Structures are given as structure tokens and as C-alpha cells.
Amino acid sequence: MPHPPPGVRPSTAGPTTGPSPPFPIRLSGPVVEGFGRGSKELGIPTANIPLAGLSIGGHSDLASGVYYGWAGLNIDTQGTIIRPPQEQTNSSAAETPPPPAAAAAAAAPFLSSPEPQSAEGRSTEEQQKKKQSSTVFPMVMSIGWNPFYKNTVRSVEVHLLHTFPTDFYTATMNLLILGFIRPEYDYDSVEALIKDIREDVEVARRSLAREAYAPWKEEGFLMDFSGAEGKDGVVVDGVGKEAKGERL
């Protein structure tokens, strides 16, 4: 396994005109426990998803290395899983008894009928509901064998460019991969590894801030959790699959 080449690294990755094939790549799955090294040893926490998503989505030949893009999760900025608005409404309705018939009748003259919505209006409303039940973060991710740690299985590890006070296992994460930063390398020391990862983070941040990449944050896929599976499921391009026998 090669070591990092000498010299100054490029400040951004990917063409300035926007993602080029095979990007964007869409991948989704539940957040699962990994090796536990990200926070403890590297100070760079990761949110991992099942490796099976790559093979199921036809991306098993995706080169090992570091990638960047956007990640949508059904959590808030504190890491708390958000219930969809519909579930919240149903819960409130179940807990609050309906008003007496007389009170409802008395209130009727003061209640106006909702105006009919256009298709565009409904689309906007649906988009707003999705935004209320999700949060989108910039991310940098590693796909590979982590040669420094001599892993025996390939892993998919995602570092979100946000600090969370708690873990959020079982949350669903939608990944929109927009570009490739660098190949996978081996390192002589953990300090050298950390230094390169921190530079990966800055390259991802600068790359995503460009005009052709920032708007992808609004991609509907990132905020759509209607196809989310259970703890062991993965969803690729909107198709739910089951991940078995994979370890991260």
C-alpha cells in the first residue's frame, strides 16, 4: 500500500463545473457501530453505514479512498432522531380528546375552509415537511481497508462536518457523494494519519462551498426517508435491501 506523496495537496477536489460521472452517487442506510476508533484514537468521530450498500447499488468496484458530499439524516443538530411531522400529528391527536360536539358547532362559523392548493404549492409543502424532519450536513467519507490498522474487511466511514453531543445509532443517513479526494494510503504514524484526515476535511469543506456543489444540499433525496429500512437495511437509489453478514 503506497504512502502519501510529498508536496502540497490541492485545495479542492473535482471539476469546478460540478460533479462528473460516476458522481453523484446516492447511498442510504442505518447508522451502525463501527470499530470505535474515530472518536477515541483519532478525535474524528464517524457515522458508519453497512458495507453491503456498495455492492447492492452496483458500486462494489468503487475505488477505495476518500470522498466528499452531503449527508441527510433524520436527526436534529443535537443528534436526536426526529419523528416525521405526520407521526407527531397522529401522536398529538391520540393524546388530545376531541372537543364536545356543542363546542365544535359553536366554533364552526369562525373556521374558514382551506384554499385549494396548486400542484406547485403541494410540492413546496411536502418539501418543507421533509426539511422539518431532517438535517443536511457536509461530509467526508472513507471507503476502504484502513491499512494503518490492517483491517480484514472493507468499511464505509462517514465524518460529518458538525459536532454532536451524542451518538445517533439507528438513525437513517442518506449520502450524496459528489467527488473523490484521494486514494487510500498507509501511514508511518497515527499523527500522520490524523494530519491527512484533517486536510481531507478542509478539502471537502472548500469543495462543497463552490457554486456548482453547494446547491446539491437541496437535493430531495437527502431529505427523503420514506424508503428507510430497519436497523439492518440499506437503501440505494430508493430501493430497500437487506444487509447481512457485514461488519464495520
Side-chain angles (χ1 to χ4, degrees):
M1 179 67 65
H3 284 64
V8 179
R9 291 177 51 179
S11 60
T12 59
T16 56
T17 52
S20 59
F23 308 105
I25 293 174
R26 297 170 180 82
L27 178 64
S28 179
V31 177
V32 297
E33 292 190 56
F35 294 108
R37 293 188 296 245
S39 295
K40 296 176 182 177
E41 296 184 29
L42 305 177
I44 304 170
T46 59
N48 304 335
I49 62 173
L51 175 64
L54 289 177
S55 56
I56 291 171
H59 303 299
S60 57
D61 59 348
L62 197 62
S64 292
V66 180
Y67 297 80
Y68 67 94
W70 297 101
L73 293 99
N74 57 341
I75 61 174
D76 60 20
T77 56
Q78 299 300 304
T80 302
I81 296 178
I82 306 172
R83 289 187 303 166
Q86 183 61 41
E87 290 185 17
Q88 295 178 16
T89 302
N90 293 342
S91 175
S92 298
E95 296 171 2
T96 306
F110 303 97
L111 301 178
S112 59
S113 300
E115 293 293 329
Q117 279 188 306
S118 64
E120 182 180 351
R122 287 194 298 273
S123 176
T124 302
E125 182 179 346
E126 290 170 2
Q127 190 76 352
Q128 284 300 114
K129 287 182 178 179
K130 287 181 179 179
K131 286 186 177 181
Q132 292 169 10
S133 60
S134 64
T135 313
V136 177
F137 305 94
M139 66 85 180
V140 59
M141 64 182 292
S142 169
I143 300 174
W145 302 89
N146 293 310
F148 180 78
Y149 288 103
K150 297 178 174 55
N151 289 359
T152 57
V153 292
R154 209 169 181 225
S155 62
V156 179
E157 301 172 287
V158 180
H159 174 62
L160 302 170
L161 276 59
H162 181 83
T163 301
F164 297 93
T166 184
D167 294 326
F168 41 89
Y169 297 125
T170 75
T172 300
M173 181 161 59
N174 295 334
L175 297 175
L176 187 64
I177 307 171
L178 298 181
F180 180 77
I181 294 179
R182 63 171 176 84
E184 185 173 47
Y185 295 128
D186 197 359
Y187 295 87
D188 294 324
S189 67
V190 68
E191 290 78 16
L193 171 60
I194 292 173
K195 181 180 178 181
D196 234 14
I197 294 175
R198 294 201 182 282
E199 181 60 25
D200 294 335
V201 169
E202 295 309 313
V203 170
R205 198 188 305 275
R206 289 188 292 263
S207 298
L208 291 170
R210 291 176 296 178
E211 185 177 356
Y213 290 81
W216 286 90
K217 181 180 181 179
E218 304 298 326
E219 164 102 3
F221 163 78
L222 290 168
M223 298 172 282
D224 185 2
F225 300 96
S226 58
E229 299 292 307
K231 185 175 184 298
D232 296 321
V234 293
V235 179
V236 181
D237 292 334
V239 180
K241 300 290 184 180
E242 186 178 6
K244 294 182 179 179
E246 300 291 354
R247 172 178 168 270
L248 295 184

